[in-house]
Amino acid sequence: MIGFDPALYLPDDLLERIRARAADHDRENTFPEQDLADLTDAGYLAILVPTDLGGAGLGLAEASVLQQRLAGAAPATALAVNMHLVWTGVAKVLADRGVTDLRFVQEGAAAGEVFAFGISEAGNDLVLFGSDTDAAARSDGSYAFTGTKIFTSLAPVWTWIGLHGLDTASPDAPKLVYAFVPRSEQEQGRVLTRDDWDTLGMRGTQSRTTELHGAISPADRVVRRIDPGPSPDPIVFGIFSVFEVLLASVYTGIARRALDLAVQTAGTRRSKKTGKAYSQDPDIRWRIAEMALAYDALPPELAAISRDIDDRADHGARWFSLLSGVKHRAVTMAKRVVDDAILVAGGSSYFSSSELGRLYRDVLAGLFHPSDPESAHATVASAWLGPIEQ
């Protein structure tokens, strides 16, 4: 990242416009359409697309820095855009390893297409290793998907949704099928988006539930058919690695914003008892130091692990524990930092109009994304101790 200037891709004036709208979208429970339009105009949706295909040609390491920066302005906007960047990031990971199945994603992103991430299903703790969605093969090579996907960010605006389902009827079944369904399937009544996103935080993502009723993915958008369960297929590594790194980046960006607000508040609040700014209070100084000590570990860790993905480093079987770990540490660190920032700011942060109050609600969402704390600990335990004996 030598010579990389984040302000070239996310200028300060653009971030301030996005920041100014964040509270309204949270209060009104609306999707930040103007944010997306501004980011599209700035070429942000194609930051991970190669320059020869019309993108910025950045790596995951640079995208991580940018997502931290965007999350500091508007967490929900950053998290929503994350899901599009996951697919462009997966396309890059695959292309870097000689697999061009997702070239259409790169070309589409450069042309302004928006890709949603449709993997999560209620109660499916297999995540990438299984699916409750039925994938029915059709004679022309296309697939029809029937099932329900939850937490579909970008629900009001996506043009393609990337998803998976389980083919149980083909001669080589069972096979997990990864494919992309176009928005036109909604017009045909085969995709239904519920207006059910009424949550505690991250309200601007509008991650609504998506019902699939025989939704058709054309044959040329069926990108992989793999065995269920843990798989060496590059699409599994691509999704897991990019998803975990970009999620960790968003929550690390939230932590940085909370830390900055705490420092700002400590400099402006004054003690009636001493007449000095709270920045001179030993207890406040200790609390902010604790916040900084926790936060400071994450940006370099994200830089290192994302650079290893870009450089195709070989961590072998340890990859999944490393990726689960960085996501887990980022979200737990961010929650701790926001908690402490609330205490530094005092009672004003308890009001719904407070930015810290909004961050307090937004940061909770990190605990629900894969890998959740239980999954992360199980993955790391297996990496160090081996699998549980049967």
Side-chain angles (χ1 to χ4, degrees):
M1 289 192 291
I2 296 174
F4 172 64
D5 182 3
L8 291 177
Y9 304 92
L10 280 175
D12 290 342
D13 61 336
L14 172 56
L15 284 177
E16 288 309 312
R17 292 200 304 275
I18 290 173
R19 188 192 309 282
R21 295 188 285 252
D24 289 342
H25 290 299
D26 174 70
R27 181 177 58 256
E28 297 167 7
N29 195 26
T30 53
F31 182 80
E33 295 200 23
Q34 189 57 55
D35 291 0
L36 182 64
D38 287 348
L39 290 167
T40 302
D41 290 344
Y44 196 77
L45 298 187
I47 55 174
L48 287 167
V49 175
T51 54
D52 62 337
L53 294 180
L58 299 183
L60 190 59
E62 290 81 13
S64 171
V65 172
L66 290 171
Q67 282 297 91
Q68 292 172 54
R69 184 171 164 84
L70 180 57
T77 296
L79 187 60
V81 171
N82 232 36
M83 302 311 167
H84 167 90
L85 293 180
V86 166
W87 282 123
T88 60
V90 173
K92 172 179 165 50
V93 168
L94 266 61
D96 287 347
R97 289 155 180 78
V99 180
T100 59
D101 293 2
L102 294 186
R103 183 184 174 99
F104 71 89
V105 169
Q106 297 173 315
E107 295 172 338
E113 301 272 16
V114 178
F115 293 86
F117 191 72
I119 299 296
S120 296
E121 299 168 341
N124 178 17
D125 57 357
L126 292 171
V127 195
L128 293 178
F129 300 154
S131 176
D132 292 328
T133 296
D134 179 68
R138 292 156 51 91
S139 59
D140 61 356
S142 63
Y143 264 85
F145 291 87
T146 300
T148 301
K149 302 293 185 176
I150 61 173
F151 297 136
T152 313
S153 300
L154 300 165
V157 297
W158 59 261
T159 52
W160 291 87
I161 181 169
L163 46 77
H164 72 344
L166 189 64
D167 177 353
T168 59
S170 293
D172 61 348
K175 290 289 183 181
L176 270 179
V177 182
Y178 287 86
F180 288 77
V181 168
R183 190 87 188 194
S184 58
E185 286 299 281
Q186 184 166 284
E187 299 164 7
Q188 300 300 318
R190 293 188 283 262
V191 173
L192 173 65
T193 301
R194 299 180 193 166
D195 188 6
D196 60 353
W197 190 246
D198 186 11
T199 51
L200 185 67
M202 288 294 188
R203 288 157 65 81
T205 65
Q206 290 302 299
S207 305
R208 304 172 186 175
T209 300
T210 302
E211 297 178 16
L212 307 167
H213 301 278
I216 296 171
S217 170
D220 62 353
R221 295 296 184 263
V222 177
V223 295
R224 308 297 277 181
R225 296 179 74 255
I226 65 175
D227 292 334
S231 171
D233 194 277
I235 198 167
V236 174
F237 174 75
I239 293 174
F240 195 83
S241 61
V242 178
F243 188 87
E244 298 291 78
V245 165
L246 291 183
L247 268 178
S249 302
V250 167
Y251 289 96
T252 298
I254 293 174
R256 176 54 189 264
R257 179 59 178 170
L259 177 56
D260 287 342
L261 288 171
V263 169
Q264 177 184 320
T265 302
T268 56
R269 290 183 72 196
R270 303 193 78 83
S271 169
K272 291 288 188 181
K273 184 186 301 182
T274 66
K276 295 180 179 180
Y278 272 67
S279 59
Q280 303 306 304
D281 182 293
D283 292 333
I284 296 295
R285 293 175 68 86
W286 179 87
R287 191 174 297 281
I288 289 179
E290 281 286 291
M291 295 164 65
L293 285 167
Y295 164 78
D296 281 343
L298 264 297
E301 183 179 357
L302 280 167
I305 199 166
S306 56
R307 181 59 68 196
D308 278 357
I309 297 168
D310 288 334
D311 293 343
R312 300 184 290 283
D314 183 10
H315 290 298
R318 286 212 63 209
W319 259 123
F320 288 92
S321 66
L322 292 172
L323 292 162
S324 295
V326 72
K327 183 269 177 180
H328 176 73
R329 284 188 291 276
V331 299
T332 54
M333 174 277 295
K335 185 176 184 304
R336 174 183 168 191
V337 167
V338 174
D339 284 348
D340 279 344
I342 290 278
L343 293 174
V344 171
S348 64
S349 60
Y350 195 61
F351 284 84
S352 59
S353 58
S354 164
E355 183 177 357
L356 273 175
R358 176 163 48 85
L359 296 183
Y360 184 79
R361 292 182 290 104
D362 282 348
V363 80
L364 291 176
L367 300 175
F368 300 102
H369 302 296
S371 297
D372 63 22
E374 293 79 12
S375 175
H377 281 78
T379 300
V380 173
S382 292
W384 285 91
L385 299 170
I388 294 175
E389 296 177 0
Q390 300 298 316

